[in-house]
Amino acid sequence: MQEPTITEIYDEQEEESYRDHISTVDESGKRVWLYPKKPKGRFTNYRQLVSYLLLGILFAGPFIKIGGQPLLKFDIIDREFVIFGQVFWPQDFHLAVIGMITTIVFIILFAVVYGRIFCGWICPQTIFMEHVFRQVEFLIEGDYMKQKKLDKQEWNTEKVVKKTSKHVIFVLISAFIMHTFVAYIVGVDDLWSMIGNGPAEEPLAFVAIVVFTGLFYGVFSKMREQVCTTICPYGRLQGVLLDKQSIVVAYDHVRGESRGKIRKGEDRVEKGLGDCIDCHQCVYVCPTGIDIRNGTQLECVNCTACIDACDSIMDKIGKPRGLVRYASEDNIAENKPSRFTARMKAYTTVLFILIGVLVTLLYLRSDVETTILRTPGMMYQEREDGTITNLYQLKMVNKTAEDMPIELKLEGIDGKLEMVGDNLMLKKQDLGEGAFFIVLDPSSLTKMSTDIKIGVYSKGEQIETVKTRFLGPAI
Ligand code: SF4
Ligand code: SF4
């Protein structure tokens, strides 16, 4: 037997049942499959524009190059990360950590002030679900009533053709998106060569793409809104992030209640009725199956579909738009304007401090990073001519897009620096290693451990000074 739909369940529900269980699970604990109505309206149009822009950036990302580098690359295998053409190395890990904390604080601050605006407008789950996979579904199976009818009907040619073509397209889209993600990890050139080599030569990559394509397909064909309502930690955090001043998609209960069906010639004011005509259009379009008139709920991803649905009803009955709109609880209940609360101020201060630290560190980030360490386990050595030597290991990272010949000089003390082998030629975006001796006359040593400075030069220009220690005999 066909499972009841959310609309059927909702119609049978007690008014308060939304407090006992989430909208997509019935009283016996079974999943309720949602058939949201196709939303239409100005917010839907704006959201579509934002989605297409973000999807465009996502798919173009690995192909766009800045200074020979991709716009974005996250090569976790070779530990090379490119953000807007700038190469970041594991040595820049602290920047990644601060960047991540800044992003999280930014999202939290945004949630405190604007609720789940991120979920509705920017989150990849919503974008892929509502603007890619759901659109394919609408195109092939039609709007919600037709989808319901198709699911209820016996298997026939129409159902087989529609279901098969929908799922084949879902798999193809998932595979395309997974290939894009792989391009972000290994780069476009390596992705092309992997595809050219085929599964026999690239079994690991092939298995990974098949597995992740399957997962992606599963999320958007089966899991859907469950990701937002039960899995996503950001969604779960809303309970502690939102307060009465947070601006969320909200129903104006002061204006809307008491709700009641519209009847020709009836004076609603006289009857004590508000502007809500109880048409359920805001419920039918909801992709998480809730009724916004029950107040802010954890399931609401602030997708604005109910705003558009209600606005179109208000237009039809000649009432002002905005019965469902972006507003805070205080805006609606007490007719108060939005306030910048102490919590908002605190998060904003933390955010500005973090942005300041991040910008300073990015500004101070050097193009070349040098690590000089005395060779572990080796003490000083005395040469026949009486001079003392220490052996050092040199590691350098060239973060620029140019090859750099490197020359080291001992600074501020008489002595010699002898490279083991040739001077280092540091390739662009590469790591270079070498070894060298520092040779000092014992007369310049006054203690067992002496601080020394080594200048790092390229093409005659000093690019860095590194401090280290020189060990010698006790005086
Ligand atoms: S209640 Fe409105 S904004 Fe929230 S998820 Fe449903 S349709 Fe979207
Ligand atoms: S769409 Fe507007 S009028 Fe219709 S039920 Fe929802 S809030 Fe009421």
Side-chain angles (χ1 to χ4, degrees):
M1 208 186 92
Q2 189 69 42
E3 296 293 329
T5 67
I6 186 66
T7 320
E8 289 156 355
I9 293 244
Y10 180 80
D11 289 343
E12 286 164 14
Q13 274 174 350
E14 293 294 318
E15 270 195 9
E16 297 290 304
S17 69
Y18 69 92
R19 296 187 195 279
D20 307 328
H21 54 86
I22 62 168
S23 52
T24 47
V25 176
D26 68 15
E27 279 162 0
S28 63
K30 275 193 187 159
R31 166 97 178 264
V32 178
W33 189 257
L34 295 183
Y35 294 97
K37 187 179 173 183
K38 190 173 182 179
K40 283 188 197 112
R42 60 190 170 132
F43 281 106
T44 304
N45 294 343
Y46 293 146
R47 281 205 308 134
Q48 247 158 11
L49 276 179
V50 172
S51 306
Y52 297 150
L53 180 75
L54 293 175
L55 286 169
I57 294 172
L58 173 80
F59 293 121
F63 297 93
I64 298 172
K65 299 214 166 170
I66 299 175
Q69 290 297 333
L71 183 71
L72 295 166
K73 185 178 173 190
F74 303 99
D75 187 349
I76 38 175
I77 300 157
D78 289 334
R79 297 182 295 164
E80 187 190 338
F81 307 92
V82 184
I83 300 169
F84 299 119
Q86 283 287 313
V87 182
F88 290 84
W89 291 79
Q91 286 83 349
D92 297 315
F93 185 70
H94 60 291
L95 292 175
V97 173
I98 295 173
M100 241 181 269
I101 296 172
T102 309
T103 311
I104 291 168
V105 174
F106 181 69
I107 292 174
I108 289 175
L109 173 70
F110 232 71
V112 170
V113 183
Y114 296 109
R116 287 175 83 168
I117 199 163
F118 171 84
C119 303
W121 291 75
I122 300 168
C123 175
Q125 169 72 20
T126 309
I127 290 180
F128 285 132
M129 186 67 247
E130 301 306 324
H131 302 286
V132 179
F133 288 90
R134 189 96 69 194
Q135 296 305 316
V136 172
E137 198 162 70
F138 284 137
L139 205 70
I140 295 175
E141 295 186 359
D143 207 348
Y144 72 131
M145 295 302 279
K146 286 188 179 160
Q147 289 178 19
K148 253 192 277 186
K149 192 171 158 236
L150 189 72
D151 277 0
K152 277 187 179 168
Q153 79 186 39
E154 294 295 321
W155 282 97
N156 58 11
T157 316
E158 182 205 7
K159 189 164 175 173
V160 170
V161 170
K162 284 188 172 173
K163 291 284 174 194
T164 310
S165 48
K166 179 180 92 170
H167 288 287
V168 167
I169 293 174
F170 277 9
V171 171
L172 291 175
I173 293 172
S174 304
F176 180 65
I177 294 168
M178 279 332 299
H179 279 81
T180 308
F181 287 167
V182 171
Y184 273 104
I185 296 171
V186 299
V188 186
D189 299 337
D190 283 6
L191 175 66
W192 289 135
S193 78
M194 276 177 181
I195 294 171
N197 291 343
E201 277 186 52
E202 305 277 356
L204 264 179
F206 178 72
V207 170
I209 285 189
V210 169
V211 169
F212 284 104
T213 298
L215 282 174
F216 214 79
Y217 163 78
V219 164
F220 292 102
S221 66
K222 297 283 170 225
M223 291 291 293
R224 302 193 155 193
E225 77 291 334
Q226 296 299 306
V227 173
C228 311
T229 57
T230 58
I231 298 171
C232 174
Y234 182 59
R236 310 282 65 71
L237 271 176
Q238 298 303 307
V240 287
L241 294 179
L242 300 186
D243 61 20
K244 287 181 172 186
Q245 279 87 37
S246 304
I247 295 167
V248 291
V249 173
Y251 165 67
D252 187 341
H253 55 90
V254 176
R255 184 185 144 193
E257 299 297 310
S258 303
R259 63 188 81 159
K261 301 274 181 219
I262 196 162
R263 289 193 177 78
K264 232 181 174 179
E266 183 182 61
D267 186 338
R268 291 181 71 84
V269 180
E270 197 177 83
K271 283 228 157 192
L273 293 173
D275 282 354
C276 175
I277 61 166
D278 207 16
C279 63
H280 284 191
Q281 289 305 313
C282 51
V283 184
Y284 296 152
V285 291
C286 181
T288 61
I290 59 170
D291 184 344
I292 191 65
R293 296 173 301 167
N294 291 331
T296 303
Q297 292 149 81
L298 272 186
E299 296 98 313
C300 177
V301 291
N302 275 221
C303 74
T304 71
C306 52
I307 300 184
D308 280 339
C310 190
D311 278 352
S312 76
I313 296 297
M314 292 298 114
D315 288 348
K316 277 183 196 147
I317 64 170
K319 296 275 182 189
R321 289 178 168 190
L323 179 58
V324 181
R325 64 177 186 272
Y326 276 117
S328 73
E329 212 178 304
D330 275 357
N331 289 154
I332 290 171
E334 296 165 35
N335 205 11
K336 278 188 193 164
S338 299
R339 278 192 309 116
F340 201 55
T341 61
R343 200 148 71 111
M344 292 174 190
K345 283 178 196 159
Y347 283 128
T348 310
T349 310
V350 174
L351 182 65
F352 273 105
I353 292 171
L354 282 169
I355 291 174
V357 171
L358 188 62
V359 169
T360 311
L361 289 176
L362 280 172
Y363 182 73
L364 295 176
R365 177 178 175 263
S366 57
D367 284 343
V368 175
E369 204 146 302
T370 312
T371 311
I372 292 176
L373 291 173
R374 271 192 347 95
T375 305
M378 272 195 78
M379 287 299 286
Y380 65 89
Q381 286 184 323
E382 214 170 327
R383 287 186 176 172
E384 281 177 5
D385 61 2
T387 53
I388 310 291
T389 67
N390 277 198
L391 180 61
Y392 294 84
Q393 300 299 321
L394 166 73
K395 268 192 190 168
M396 293 189 74
V397 179
N398 178 2
K399 300 174 190 174
T400 70
E402 281 177 20
D403 292 349
M404 296 177 94
I406 296 296
E407 197 190 341
L408 300 182
K409 289 180 189 171
L410 186 61
E411 314 239 303
I413 191 166
D414 279 343
K416 276 193 293 182
L417 190 151
E418 294 173 356
M419 290 301 295
V420 176
D422 293 333
N423 273 342
L424 194 63
M425 173 52 107
L426 204 51
K427 292 239 176 330
K428 63 178 178 181
Q429 312 291 353
D430 205 0
L431 189 85
E433 288 181 290
F436 62 89
F437 286 101
I438 300 275
V439 186
L440 294 183
D441 193 275
S443 61
S444 39
L445 304 173
T446 54
K447 47 190 176 177
M448 280 180 74
S449 173
T450 306
D451 291 336
I452 54 168
K453 282 187 209 157
I454 295 162
V456 182
Y457 291 78
S458 181
K459 296 173 191 162
E461 216 175 282
Q462 184 165 13
I463 46 177
E464 218 179 340
T465 305
V466 184
K467 286 182 186 165
T468 183
R469 282 172 176 269
F470 186 93
L471 297 187
I475 306 296

